[in-house]
Amino acid sequence: MFSQKAIKRGISGDTQATPEVVRHSRYPHRLSVYSDPPELEVSIEEFESFALDRLQVLKAIEDAQIRSSNEADRHTRISSAVDAHLPLHTNRSKLPLRQLMAERRKDHVSHFILRLAFSRTEDLQSWFLRHEGLLLQHRFRDADAQEKQHVLATMHLPLVYLAPGEGMDVRGSYYSKQDALFEVDFEHVLDLVQRMQVVVNKGRALVPQAEIATLLVHEFRRQLSRALAVCAKALPQLGEDERLVPVLQSLSRQSVRSEYQPTGAAGEVTADSVDSLAVHFPLCMRHLHTSLLKDHHLRHGGRMQLGLFLKGIGLGLPEALVYWRRAFSNLTDDQFQKGYAYNIRHNYGQEGRRVNYTPYSCNRIITTNPPGPGDHHGCPFRHFASDRLNAALRQDGLGEAEATEVVELARNGHYQVACTRHMEINLRKRRTEPAEELRVDTVVSPNQWFDLSVGNGKLPESSRFAASAAQPPGMTQ
Amino acid sequence: MDTSTDDSAIEVSPMTLGQFYQRLFPHRQFYSWLNYKAQSSSMTFTHREFAFTIRDGIYIRYQSFKDCEEFQRELARLIPTRFEIGAVFTAQPKHAKSLQPGVFKPVEKELVFDIDMTDYDEVRTCCQGGSICSKCWKFMAIAMRIVDAALREDFGFEKLLWVYSGRRGVHCWVCDERARQLDDQGRRAISGYLSLIRGGAEQGKKVNLSSRTANHPHVVRSLDIIEDYFEDVVLGEQEILLTRDRWLKVLAALPDEDLRQTLDTQWQKRPDRTSSEKWSDLIDAVDRRAAKQKGKFALTMFERDMMLQYAYPRLDENVTTHMNHLLKSPFCIHPGTGRVCTPIAADDFDSFDPLAVPTLAQLLREVNEATGATKGKEYAETSLGEYVDVFDDFVQTLDPGNEADVAMAGSLDF
Ligand code: SF4
Ligand SMILES: [Zn+2]
């Protein structure tokens, strides 16, 4: 459990952690950006329990993002999860060295296990990245000056400090003469640039020292994202170890519901019933559906996105052919048969490679194939301009404040969280008696939205989330 | 609409467009622009997506060309009614279909902006929808000055190409290497930085800056620019407070019901006061009220916020935020107006006159009347010449070696 050196030096685990002792230990620093993998043996039990504990924390962070309306509340919620599952005491905490080291080792090891588990698909990767970033941000906020300095040093950030009084010509009246600032290429602090919270001059951002956490997290995520890509490539080799693979799979499966398996919550869906079910569609599908009714046509991206979604809610192939035939009312039968019917059968695995295609996940809709001019597919929270999103939400009956809240979330890049809020507001409105605070899981699939809406906020018993990577990522097409 | 009655007989048709592409389109400079390097074809051209809209509105994506000659040939062959420029990809877009998914990805593109006059409908009173006039065009001049200054001074970009969109707006192509490399997140950040106007049609007040943001150098500079125009353009020409309809729209942004009523009554008694006079009434009243209710922030910011709301650029975010977004190319012909999408000189935003931009008809007449002495450069003898010069100047800045190369290539042509 301790570094060989420490043991050789005769430091026992019960020694109180004086600064001198800690400095020579395996983990001299509390905060880590996990540049190096752990070198220690881990038992399979530890493997699983460490990872589960870290997962609890990441999930709590996700939850806090949705539930908390203010920073302080968010911070408290995350703190309590961290204290319960993944505490990390400071060097000054006077705890026995054994405990300090155990905590840090657990932090280190659990991060790397989840790295493995979450590198398997892009959906999983982006979930992991986002929440690890937030965890680091949370811890950094509570860290002392020395700890902060250490983490920053490990990141090798190309920044230049501006002492109070320096750089007066560019401070304008935005910063005071006394503000301690640093200067960095604006690409490192995009969040701050986007919200105009820093002065930018000739491509360099002048950032208040207090905002250094933003910079750190940005850089951490960038490096972690690269590491995850490397990890994903290495993963198939792990396939030999039969003990590890099931554990890794179950880990990601119970956390991120990236592959939602539609449940058919609405029962058998017919061509006639689609239009009346549209009230249960998430905004992306609502928009496609409305455009289809209006234009009697949808371009390819839209047909795929809506078509597979409808398939997911229970529209069978014969009914789907009827539905689309009617919707494309400007076409002759011949045009429809030639241009579109094949495609629909293809989606149902009746043509071509006979793959039974599944509905798109939110992540896929958000991150791939952005809509061009004339396209209606995509995710409104991601692809609509704020004005337009606001109007769409207002049209759906959201009040001005509610719409603004949701648009703000979307503006800050929390697309799925914004969509989840949208649903919560909708469901709250629908309930007659004031129910207990409504909580729904983050939306990961338009079909989940639909099932939740049909079930008034509850998913049917039969619902489940499957990890998509039953096969290693290298093998998926 | 057009300058000469003779010209209106000449339509935008495959025949006339074909002539335009063959005789007037500045292929060489166009190629040098997107190629960036003086020597040999580079990826920024060969791996670049073009999308053509051809007859009957058929839209073909993923076109790409190996060099200037092929591009020129295809333009002449397909005679697109318009064409768009997209990203540079990992492979030649024309081979996209035969590639494994995941292999074909966009790697870079110019950072682009699109400002469209229709987004100004709620602040302009002279025209609506697709039409423009010299009065409302001044909003575009303001927008270009503000965005241009921010891109240069704040972000340090230097290679900015401004283009008239042919009808009612402008595009900006930021061509610095650093801008081309930005990922979507970077594009979103710059677009967000440049957006101050928020909120939909139902919201009266759409700019609500904190006192801190109001001190941001970009806001301060933008307000300085707006001040050059506000009195003459927004109050003088647009007369945003002339009629009761109009002033009610402005008053709707006042966060104080009482003030709204007072001013409305006051102006109903004196409707003949000019917009400038009414604006002074408004600002005086707001100042007085703000002084009385000390610290009522919403009121003290009112004048500043409203100036921004009425004159700050309104960008189409979607065009900017995706690397993979296509944008209409310079030197296309707008099918509705027949006007060429011409470059706009960056030091001359105020004097650019969209209504003076030559139409296809006019150019064909001019080129037919020309002496033909400048073969291969026939645009030089038409009104397109001065715009090609602006483009030329811009292209020269992209690569120091370019100048010699263009001259050489030109001389090899004939
Ligand atoms: S978050 Fe998902 S369900 Fe919601 S609108 Fe976007 S894509 Fe659709
Ligand atoms: Zn006008």
Side-chain angles (χ1 to χ4, degrees), chain A residues 173-175 185-187 190 193-194 196 198-203 382-383 385-387 394 400 411 415, chain B residues 152-156 178 186 188-189 192-193 196 198-199 202-203 212 215-219 317-318 322:
Chain A
S173 49
Y174 192 68
Y175 299 123
D185 282 346
F186 78 87
E187 287 92 341
L190 291 176
V193 171
Q194 180 160 7
M196 216 200 266
V198 284
V199 168
V200 190
N201 186 264
K202 292 281 176 210
R382 170 70 180 82
H383 298 117
S386 301
D387 272 15
R394 294 300 304 270
E400 179 158 333
R411 279 188 71 85
Y415 313 116
Chain B
R152 288 177 203 274
E153 292 170 26
D154 298 354
F155 293 97
R178 188 169 172 188
R188 209 177 310 129
Y193 181 92
L196 293 180
R198 315 226 190 281
E202 306 96 284
Q203 230 163 309
R212 180 164 166 75
N215 276 326
H216 192 284
H218 170 58
V219 175
E317 283 178 54
N318 282 322
H322 301 300

Side-chain angles (χ1 to χ4, degrees), chain A residues 353-415:
Chain A
R353 289 193 299 141
R354 301 199 166 246
V355 179
N356 205 1
Y357 292 93
T358 51
Y360 292 167
S361 68
C362 294
N363 192 61
R364 172 164 185 172
I365 296 171
I366 289 168
T367 57
T368 60
N369 187 25
D375 282 333
H376 294 291
H377 68 263
C379 168
F381 297 96
R382 170 70 180 82
H383 298 117
F384 277 19
S386 301
D387 272 15
R388 190 148 161 246
L389 177 58
N390 192 294
L393 291 167
R394 294 300 304 270
Q395 205 173 356
D396 194 39
L398 267 66
E400 179 158 333
E402 291 167 332
T404 311
E405 181 200 341
V406 174
V407 171
E408 230 12 72
L409 282 168
R411 279 188 71 85
N412 290 321
H414 307 297
Y415 313 116

Side-chain angles (χ1 to χ4, degrees), chain B residues 117 124-128 131-137 139 238:
Chain B
M117 195 60 97
R124 59 178 177 160
T125 59
C126 50
C127 318
Q128 291 286 292
S131 42
I132 54 159
C133 68
S134 57
K135 283 186 192 163
C136 50
W137 187 260
F139 285 115
Q238 295 292 331

Side-chain angles (χ1 to χ4, degrees), chain B residues 200-227:
Chain B
E202 306 96 284
Q203 230 163 309
K205 188 147 179 285
K206 299 191 171 76
V207 177
N208 293 290
L209 299 186
S210 66
S211 58
R212 180 164 166 75
T213 309
N215 276 326
H216 192 284
H218 170 58
V219 175
V220 173
R221 181 187 49 222
S222 300
L223 274 164
D224 278 351
I225 294 174
I226 290 172
E227 259 173 31

Side-chain angles (χ1 to χ4, degrees), chain B residues 252-317:
Chain B
L254 256 183
D256 185 315
E257 174 63 35
D258 211 35
L259 264 185
R260 243 179 281 165
Q261 297 224 341
T262 318
L263 285 164
D264 185 29
T265 331
Q266 186 182 330
W267 291 343
Q268 284 192 65
K269 283 190 209 127
R270 298 284 315 278
D272 53 315
R273 283 171 77 72
T274 65
S275 290
S276 290
E277 289 165 338
K278 289 184 189 127
W279 182 257
S280 312
D281 295 344
L282 172 61
I283 298 307
D284 287 349
V286 165
D287 282 352
R288 253 178 284 126
R289 180 64 53 98
K292 224 190 298 163
Q293 322 170 332
K294 251 184 244 108
K296 196 146 187 238
F297 187 63
L299 280 178
T300 52
M301 294 301 136
F302 185 77
E303 181 175 14
R304 178 164 59 201
D305 286 353
M306 287 306 275
M307 285 174 74
L308 291 167
Q309 177 159 336
Y310 271 84
Y312 189 84
R314 294 159 178 252
L315 302 172
D316 182 342
E317 283 178 54

Side-chain angles (χ1 to χ4, degrees), chain A residues 6-168:
Chain A
I7 291 169
K8 266 191 220 128
R9 239 182 276 112
I11 297 170
S12 116
D14 298 323
T15 317
Q16 210 197 59
T18 65
E20 180 56 22
V21 169
V22 178
R23 188 150 0 121
H24 292 104
S25 69
R26 170 80 181 79
Y27 292 108
H29 300 285
R30 188 170 81 94
L31 295 186
S32 166
V33 289
Y34 317 104
S35 321
D36 306 306
E39 341 158 322
L40 302 156
E41 290 270 320
V42 183
S43 73
I44 192 92
E45 292 76 26
E46 258 187 342
F47 187 91
E48 200 165 359
S49 81
F50 280 11
L52 281 174
D53 278 347
R54 192 179 193 89
L55 205 51
Q56 293 281 335
V57 171
L58 298 185
K59 279 161 82 174
I61 292 174
E62 178 183 39
D63 207 51
Q65 289 295 313
I66 306 171
R67 311 287 156 224
S68 305
S69 47
N70 64 68
E71 194 52 45
D73 180 47
R74 195 168 304 148
H75 193 262
T76 324
R77 282 173 193 257
I78 299 175
S79 290
S80 68
V82 170
D83 291 346
H85 303 290
L86 209 59
L88 271 186
H89 285 91
T90 68
N91 289 354
R92 287 167 296 123
S93 61
K94 306 240 163 60
L95 288 175
L97 184 65
R98 183 199 302 279
Q99 189 180 337
L100 271 195
M101 292 301 113
E103 285 176 0
R104 291 175 192 186
R105 172 170 174 266
K106 178 174 171 184
D107 179 51
H108 189 197
V109 170
S110 63
H111 170 87
F112 274 90
I113 300 174
L114 291 195
R115 225 189 237 196
L116 269 183
F118 283 82
S119 63
R120 291 181 307 149
T121 68
E122 274 184 28
D123 285 8
L124 292 172
Q125 286 184 14
S126 71
W127 189 89
F128 183 64
L129 267 178
R130 151 165 248 121
H131 297 99
E132 279 286 331
L134 289 166
L135 175 60
L136 180 66
Q137 186 171 27
H138 174 87
R139 285 175 166 167
F140 189 78
R141 193 177 133 168
D142 291 345
D144 65 29
Q146 229 178 357
E147 291 171 337
K148 285 181 179 170
Q149 226 160 40
H150 164 255
V151 193
L152 287 168
T154 35
M155 297 297 275
H156 307 293
L157 285 164
L159 36 99
V160 176
Y161 286 91
L162 290 186
E166 258 186 283
M168 290 312 290

